Amino acid sequence: MVERRSILKPDGTIVPGSKPRMDEEFLLEALRLMMLSRAYDERVIGLQRQGRFGVYSPGLGQEASIVGSAMSLDPSRDWIVPQYRELMAVVRQGYPLELITATYMGKTTPDTRIPEGVNVLPTQVALAAQLPQATGLAWGLKLQGKDAVVMAYIGEGGSSEGDFHEALNLAGVQRAPIVFFMQNNQWAISTPRRMQSAVPSFSLRAAGYGFPGVEVDGNDVLAVYDVAVEAVERARAGEGPSLVEAVTYRMGFHNTTDNPSRYLDPAEFEEAKQRDPIQRVIKYLTAIGLWDDERQKTADQEVAAEIERVVEAAQAQRGVRPEMLFDNVYERPPARVERQRAEFLKSVNGH
Ligand SMILES: Cc1ncc(C[n+]2csc(CCOP(=O)(O)OP(=O)(O)O)c2C)c(N)n1
Ligand SMILES: [Mg+2]
């Protein structure tokens, strides 16, 4: 049996004898991001249903895992390599939410690309393809003598890909400064966790690569943060990679194209809701006198206002211009390409 690390229990009490590293100010910041995540999911699912937003994978239910892991990093030097469900992690890293929103609205223009100095790689939908690149990034940072760490995200489903093995193996050999952060949300679209692997805990796989693996309650932001900080500190000290398995639950559909009522047991879903990561932080903060109805109301209003600001800013972004097809291909385009561009513009402008 592998120990599943936990600090904050579902009823909002602390596991006796445990001392979280996260102070109260940081926990309030974590809660704000978790609430922003939940409210953003709801808002953009509505936009998607109106045809104003692209295919979207919510972080619903996984907020503690996403936010707690990202908060262990120093955005000025560390990197995040995401899969596709870690939106608030990249926001915490400094990627403006309005730019991400604009991209989901189809505005993939130079104005909406990841800004210079934001240490984030783009979303990766081809499962596990981000991991060999993440290992390369971490190894490269090490060769450059930087004390930076890479946090690379993967789902339990993605870990069945060959790239997972190649990336972890090479990272172990090179003692690359990387944390492989696996969100085990029990589902890979409609494939349940039990069909994914016979291993009792995905964290055990780390042994095969010669570095530590740890399992944590992914709905417990205090424990996720602790485990992530330990792994980041280890990487920064030159001791190499770690694998973290955050055991959580996808509290909704896979993405906006999915219909989980075709495969999900409603009883299991109801049971998972009892482990809601946001409610447990609120219960804890209420018990220690740092949260009440008044603060909840203010926080809800602030989050709603922030989301409206973000959506408006994204809508105001310039859209894609057809002639951008020709941009960024040649530094000095040959005459033939210039001619094609002019002809193309003439045809789309109708003169
Ligand atoms: C190489 C590859 N195979 C299949 C898919 C289709 N696909 C997209 S998401 C997904 C499930 C991934 O599950 P998991 O890694 O657990 O991440 P989660 O969606 O649960 O966060 C699959 C099979 C893909 N994107 N890439
Ligand atoms: Mg999954």
Side-chain angles (χ1 to χ4, degrees), residues 12 14 18 27 48 78 114 117 154-155 177 187 196 240 243 259-260 262 271 273 284 300 307 316 323 332 334 336 343:
I14 295 276
S18 55
L27 180 57
Q48 195 278 338
D78 299 330
I114 302 170
I154 180 78
W187 293 99
Q196 205 61 251
L243 172 64
N259 175 11
R262 295 183 57 187
E271 199 251 309
K273 281 208 245 167
Y284 171 65
D300 285 339
I307 289 173
E323 68 273 23
R332 265 168 284 133
R336 174 177 47 86
E343 267 172 42

Side-chain angles (χ1 to χ4, degrees), residues 56-266:
Y56 179 72
S57 300
L60 195 65
Q62 300 176 221
E63 295 90 348
S65 165
I66 294 166
V67 171
S69 54
M71 286 186 74
S72 69
L73 300 176
D74 171 0
S76 70
R77 56 181 161 162
D78 299 330
W79 284 78
I80 281 186
V81 179
Q83 186 160 284
Y84 47 70
R85 205 185 290 285
E86 299 84 20
L87 190 72
M88 286 306 147
V90 298
V91 168
R92 201 272 170 174
Q93 194 73 357
Y95 192 175
L97 188 53
E98 54 267 39
L99 298 189
I100 302 171
T101 307
T103 307
Y104 273 112
M105 289 176 169
K107 298 173 180 186
T108 48
T109 74
D111 298 336
T112 62
R113 69 184 158 202
I114 302 170
E116 205 64 46
V118 174
N119 297 335
V120 164
L121 256 51
T123 296
Q124 178 57 270
V125 173
L127 295 175
Q130 73 278 20
L131 295 187
Q133 295 182 18
T135 294
L137 174 61
W139 184 11
L141 290 165
K142 180 180 169 178
L143 290 174
Q144 290 169 33
K146 301 204 169 137
D147 63 351
V149 175
V150 175
M151 175 84 63
Y153 290 90
I154 180 78
E156 89 292 345
S159 77
S160 297
E161 289 287 333
D163 274 352
F164 176 86
H165 163 70
E166 292 172 26
L168 272 70
N169 190 56
L170 182 62
V173 170
Q174 296 300 339
R175 291 166 81 89
I178 183 164
V179 180
F180 295 100
F181 193 91
M182 180 196 293
Q183 295 203 74
N184 173 5
N185 64 1
Q186 314 304 327
W187 293 99
I189 314 184
S190 54
T191 304
R193 185 261 178 256
R194 69 173 189 282
M195 298 298 288
Q196 205 61 251
S197 171
V199 78
S201 169
F202 288 94
S203 65
L204 290 171
R205 287 186 175 167
Y209 304 111
F211 53 79
V214 52
E215 189 181 298
V216 64
D217 179 348
N219 285 21
D220 171 351
V221 75
L222 295 178
V224 170
Y225 177 74
D226 259 40
V227 162
V229 167
E230 282 165 26
V232 166
E233 281 177 355
R234 190 187 132 76
R236 210 179 306 285
E239 291 165 27
S242 306
L243 172 64
V244 176
E245 176 190 351
V247 181
T248 178
Y249 195 85
R250 197 191 74 202
M251 271 172 35
F253 46 68
H254 166 70
N255 68 21
T256 45
T257 70
D258 180 35
N259 175 11
S261 69
R262 295 183 57 187
Y263 58 84
L264 201 75
D265 172 4

Side-chain angles (χ1 to χ4, degrees), residues 33-50:
L33 276 172
M34 290 163 73
M35 288 174 64
L36 184 66
S37 177
R38 180 97 30 123
Y40 182 85
D41 280 354
E42 202 185 319
R43 179 76 169 94
V44 303
I45 290 164
L47 289 174
Q48 195 278 338
R49 299 302 188 224
Q50 295 167 28

